[in-house]
Amino acid sequence: QVQLVESGGGSVQAGGSLRLSCAASGYTYSNNCMGWWRQVPGKEREEVAAIDAEGSTRYADSVKGRFTISKAKNTLYLQMNSLKPEDTAMYYCAADFTSRCPDPVYGMDFWGQGTLVTISS
């Protein structure tokens, strides 16, 4: 059974940094696409960053140059720098059956419970 457990969320001031982690179990993450998504109340969940089986990455325009997705062993990371109030959201770790990441409109197959990130101005 696939389990994804996020950690690292919290409250920081604008301009600060946070590092999110996602521990994956029951899953050979190295062969598959994984990603970070976020959602605020009243809005659809959006993909923030994704990394495929070969290590290729993609980012939402709103976070390019500020966020970095990476993976090591059984853990997925999201380093978030220069945080802005508009980055406030619930952040979710996700994994997909495919090795190449699908179009974000299709979502992913497995989801964690989320970790809350709050950025104050």
Side-chain angles (χ1 to χ4, degrees):
Q1 182 178 356
V2 175
Q3 284 192 319
L4 301 170
V5 180
E6 303 96 334
S7 61
S11 299
V12 298
Q13 289 190 327
S17 298
L18 283 172
R19 189 192 198 199
L20 305 184
S21 299
C22 171
S25 60
Y27 180 79
T28 307
Y29 84 97
S30 59
N31 296 332
N32 298 79
C33 169
M34 296 190 75
W36 288 98
W37 296 63
R38 67 186 181 187
Q39 188 171 25
V40 297
K43 292 189 176 182
E44 291 188 357
R45 194 173 296 188
E46 65 170 350
E47 183 185 282
V48 175
I51 184 167
D52 68 15
E54 295 184 350
S56 296
T57 58
R58 69 185 185 204
Y59 296 92
D61 288 342
S62 59
V63 306
K64 283 180 181 177
R66 301 189 297 121
F67 290 12
T68 303
I69 188 171
S70 62
K71 58 184 180 181
K73 296 184 179 180
N74 293 325
T75 304
L76 183 71
Y77 300 99
L78 185 68
Q79 178 66 44
M80 305 187 294
N81 298 328
S82 302
L83 284 161
K84 304 176 181 180
E86 51 263 43
D87 294 318
T88 295
M90 185 70 80
Y91 283 71
Y92 297 90
C93 174
D96 198 78
F97 278 126
T98 61
S99 59
R100 295 185 65 183
C101 295
D103 189 300
V105 298
Y106 298 112
M108 292 189 180
D109 296 306
F110 302 104
W111 298 88
Q113 295 299 306
T115 186
L116 183 62
V117 171
T118 304
I119 311 302
S120 58
S121 58

